[in-house]
Amino acid sequence: MPAICLKNIKKKLFFKEFELAPLPLFIADFSVAKKFAEEINLNKEKTDYYGYITNNPEIFRMISEKISIINVNRAAIRLYEAKDKKEALTFLHKLLISHESLCFQEMLISILQNKQESHQFIATTKTLKGKEIEFIVRTTISDNDKNYSNILISVENIETIRNLTTERNIFYKSLETTSSGLSISDEKGDLLYFNPAVEKIYGHKFSTSKGIKDFFMTKIHEAYQMLGFKYNAYETFVKSFEESINNIEKGYWKGDVPSITANGDIVWVSLTVNAIRSQEGEIINYIVSHDDISERMKKETEIRLECYNALTELAEMRDNETGKHLTRVSLYSTILASELGMDRSFCDNIKTFAPLHDVGKVGISDEILLAPRKLSKEEFDFMKKHTDIGFNILKNRRTLEMAADIAYCHHEKFDGTGYPRGLKEEEIPYAARIVAIADVYDALRSKRPYKEPWEHEKVLNTIKESSGTHFDPAIVNAFEKNSEAFKKISIDLAD
């Protein structure tokens, strides 16, 4: 019983696919025609079947009349411009038995000789409405169909094939010449196709190779690190990507990510990744569009820098006795970051964001901020709040993560005795540890209402003595190696 059910299920699935197939199909039964041929002793004739049929057209007609068209699909009904399946079946039967093509004769003779061969030939006919069509006929005979009762015949309109070929060539040319990158990979991420724009964007000479998905992911990861994003930025991207792709209802991911070119430069790319699935819902391909948005990101960065500079100028205006303090702190911090081997992106960011370390002072009253004396304990405790204020101004903004860390933590101390949270050692963000030394050096070297500027050597010794307590020892070492550069900047950019 289960075997019978399985057979019925397979049969139903076949006819469902048959009906919905885009290619015109019909099923022909040659069994009666073959039996008739045997009854009139055709198979007993000599091997010159072609000559026999040519010389006996009446025999050929009689055999052809025994062929039955038992089914047609929807595409065939449309091709022959029939109103329904019944009309299409009648028309195709007449068409088949009236056809005098030598190729058709060859096909019929092959069947009469019990050959399990497939055939293909070109024919021209008219539809029910009189439209002339040229088409390719292909026959498929199953090995199990010993009676030739279910021969599958497909028909392809040659004009349609030509049009499709033209459209395909136009489409392919468009892919090859478009400025947008396009790549196609299989379910494992192995590259199947890419257009020239992909190579232009990334600068790599790709080939259809394995592991392209891992390659792109690795380059994105490296770019996130080079740009100084938080450690979880890449993980957040991967989580978002996988959730979207694995969601059958959605099935795609779109977003902007950084990558690295063959020259080691950062390139920003807008990616749209579409998952192509089988009927069973399994991913079989990824189609990815790549658009270089580096120029757009550059302009956005320039706008952001103008905003950052405006914030910096605002902070400087509120505390104008520091004069060029913010510029010097920016340069000191950049020198230290470079000496410590930080990447270009980190150095660029700290140069931009170090001047925002005291932006929170915009929330401190003038009578405290501009007091021409040393602050009382209560006033100093209130002044400490500028770290919290600065953090609240800058927090929760992806491009200002380093700035928020610096504003919040540049008064923390390596031994945990700083403020506002008493962080210690590695708990203190690295950028904040760098700016802490730059800020203290400049503060001690500058004149204040309550003190005179210190000599460079005195400041140098003070910072060295504070290694491991106030400051990170590794950053103190970097400071010692570049102390003369600090001294030169403090003189050249003196208030």
Side-chain angles (χ1 to χ4, degrees):
M1 186 67 179
I4 296 174
C5 292
L6 182 60
K7 184 177 180 180
N8 289 337
I9 290 171
K10 289 182 177 179
K11 188 175 181 180
K12 288 179 180 179
L13 288 174
F14 168 79
F15 281 108
K16 181 179 180 181
E17 292 179 1
F18 172 84
E19 279 294 329
L20 300 178
L23 192 66
L25 302 171
F26 53 97
I27 298 174
D29 182 355
F30 280 73
S31 61
V32 176
K34 187 174 184 302
K35 186 176 181 181
F36 176 77
E38 291 170 352
E39 290 175 352
I40 63 173
N41 297 320
L42 178 61
N43 288 347
K44 295 180 181 180
E45 296 296 328
K46 297 186 181 296
T47 56
D48 186 14
Y49 291 100
Y50 298 103
Y52 183 85
I53 283 186
T54 302
N55 294 325
N56 297 275
E58 185 63 22
I59 295 293
F60 175 69
R61 185 190 65 78
M62 290 170 62
I63 296 173
S64 298
E65 286 180 346
K66 305 300 181 184
I67 300 170
S68 298
I69 306 299
I70 59 177
N71 202 357
V72 296
N73 70 352
R74 298 174 187 177
I77 295 172
R78 289 193 299 270
L79 176 66
Y80 292 105
E81 299 183 308
K83 62 183 179 182
D84 55 28
K85 183 169 289 196
K86 182 179 179 181
E87 187 176 50
L89 286 169
T90 303
F91 175 75
L92 283 169
H93 178 72
K94 291 179 180 178
L95 185 66
L96 191 62
I97 64 175
S98 65
H99 216 286
E100 298 179 358
S101 166
L102 291 176
C103 294
F104 177 67
Q105 293 175 7
E106 178 184 335
M107 176 186 72
L108 180 58
I109 292 169
S110 175
I111 292 172
L112 297 177
Q113 291 179 305
N114 295 315
K115 294 180 179 179
Q116 300 290 113
E117 295 178 346
S118 296
H119 292 270
Q120 174 177 307
F121 58 91
I122 295 175
T124 302
T125 190
K126 291 184 178 180
T127 68
L128 277 159
K129 294 183 179 180
K131 179 182 177 181
E132 188 172 280
I133 53 173
E134 186 181 17
F135 52 87
I136 299 173
V137 180
R138 293 185 179 90
T139 64
T140 303
I141 303 174
S142 170
D143 292 337
N144 299 322
D145 188 13
K146 302 300 182 183
N147 296 322
Y148 302 91
S149 58
N150 285 283
I151 297 177
L152 184 65
I153 301 176
S154 65
V155 177
E156 290 186 81
N157 189 335
I158 292 179
E159 182 182 359
T160 302
I161 295 172
R162 291 192 187 111
N163 291 339
L164 287 175
T165 301
T166 301
E167 291 175 5
R168 183 189 65 186
N169 291 339
I170 293 172
F171 179 68
Y172 181 75
K173 185 176 181 180
S174 298
L175 291 181
E176 291 292 294
T177 58
T178 181
S179 60
S180 295
L182 181 76
S183 63
I184 302 174
S185 57
D186 63 18
E187 76 282 1
K188 297 177 182 178
D190 295 341
L191 191 61
L192 303 175
Y193 169 82
F194 60 92
N195 67 352
V198 173
E199 291 187 338
K200 184 177 180 182
I201 290 171
Y202 299 101
H204 292 281
K205 289 294 181 182
F206 294 109
S207 61
T208 50
S209 59
K210 294 183 177 181
I212 197 68
K213 178 182 176 184
D214 293 336
F215 173 83
F216 279 126
M217 286 299 194
T218 298
K219 292 302 178 184
I220 292 171
H221 190 194
E222 291 174 359
Y224 271 118
Q225 292 179 321
M226 184 181 292
L227 289 170
F229 281 89
K230 287 287 190 178
Y231 71 93
N232 62 344
Y234 174 74
E235 286 74 12
T236 301
F237 150 68
V238 172
K239 182 180 179 182
S240 169
F241 175 84
E242 291 181 346
E243 286 179 351
S244 298
I245 289 296
N246 293 326
N247 183 340
I248 294 180
E249 293 182 359
K250 187 174 184 181
Y252 76 94
W253 180 88
K254 185 174 183 177
D256 301 337
V257 294
S259 187
I260 300 177
T261 68
N263 294 329
D265 297 323
I266 293 291
V267 58
W268 277 93
V269 185
S270 178
L271 293 180
T272 302
V273 183
N274 291 280
I276 308 302
R277 298 179 182 274
S278 65
Q279 291 183 346
E280 293 75 27
E282 299 295 326
I283 295 176
I284 54 176
N285 289 108
Y286 295 98
I287 299 179
V288 186
S289 66
H290 313 246
D291 288 297
D292 187 345
I293 58 169
S294 300
E295 193 61 32
R296 189 191 83 192
M297 295 297 290
K298 181 181 178 182
K299 290 179 180 178
E300 290 179 2
T301 300
E302 289 172 354
I303 293 171
R304 284 199 299 271
L305 287 174
E306 290 180 3
C307 294
Y308 303 155
N309 290 336
L311 278 174
T312 300
E313 290 173 8
L314 175 63
E316 193 169 14
M317 287 174 65
R318 291 293 325 281
D319 194 13
N320 55 25
E321 286 189 351
T322 61
K324 298 176 182 177
H325 167 67
L326 301 179
T327 302
R328 295 192 296 266
V329 168
S330 173
L331 294 175
Y332 298 150
S333 299
T334 306
I335 290 172
L336 292 176
S338 179
E339 178 64 36
L340 291 163
M342 304 309 291
D343 59 50
R344 182 185 62 189
S345 178
F346 185 97
C347 294
D348 290 343
N349 284 339
I350 203 166
K351 181 178 181 180
T352 300
F353 296 135
L356 293 176
H357 66 282
D358 279 339
V359 70
K361 287 183 178 180
V362 298
I364 305 299
S365 64
D366 286 349
E367 60 183 27
I368 294 176
L369 187 64
L370 304 178
R373 53 180 171 76
K374 191 171 183 176
L375 299 178
S376 67
K377 182 181 181 305
E378 291 76 15
E379 289 173 328
F380 184 66
D381 286 340
F382 191 83
M383 175 68 85
K384 288 180 181 180
K385 292 182 179 179
H386 80 277
T387 56
D388 297 284
I389 296 170
F391 177 69
N392 288 327
I393 291 172
L394 302 169
K395 69 179 182 180
N396 298 330
R397 291 172 174 80
R398 181 175 60 86
T399 59
L400 292 175
E401 288 179 344
M402 180 186 285
D405 285 343
I406 291 171
Y408 202 20
C409 303
H410 69 286
H411 283 297
E412 299 286 1
K413 295 184 178 180
F414 199 71
D415 62 3
T417 61
Y419 68 88
R421 292 181 292 167
L423 302 180
K424 65 179 181 179
E425 299 180 2
E426 302 296 324
E427 295 173 347
I428 307 169
Y430 201 52
R433 280 181 266 161
I434 291 173
V435 173
I437 289 183
D439 186 32
V440 168
Y441 175 85
D442 198 72
L444 295 178
R445 286 281 285 149
S446 302
K447 182 178 181 179
R448 293 290 185 267
Y450 51 86
K451 76 167 191 68
E452 292 298 315
W454 288 17
E455 293 296 325
H456 170 77
E457 287 71 20
K458 183 178 179 181
V459 178
L460 173 61
N461 290 331
T462 299
I463 289 176
K464 287 167 62 176
E465 291 169 2
S466 299
S467 178
T469 53
H470 190 157
F471 305 116
D472 183 332
I475 302 176
V476 172
N477 288 337
F479 165 70
E480 286 186 69
K481 293 178 182 178
N482 292 273
S483 64
E484 288 302 314
F486 274 57
K487 181 179 180 180
K488 186 176 187 305
I489 290 171
S490 69
I491 295 172
D492 292 346
L493 296 178
D495 294 335

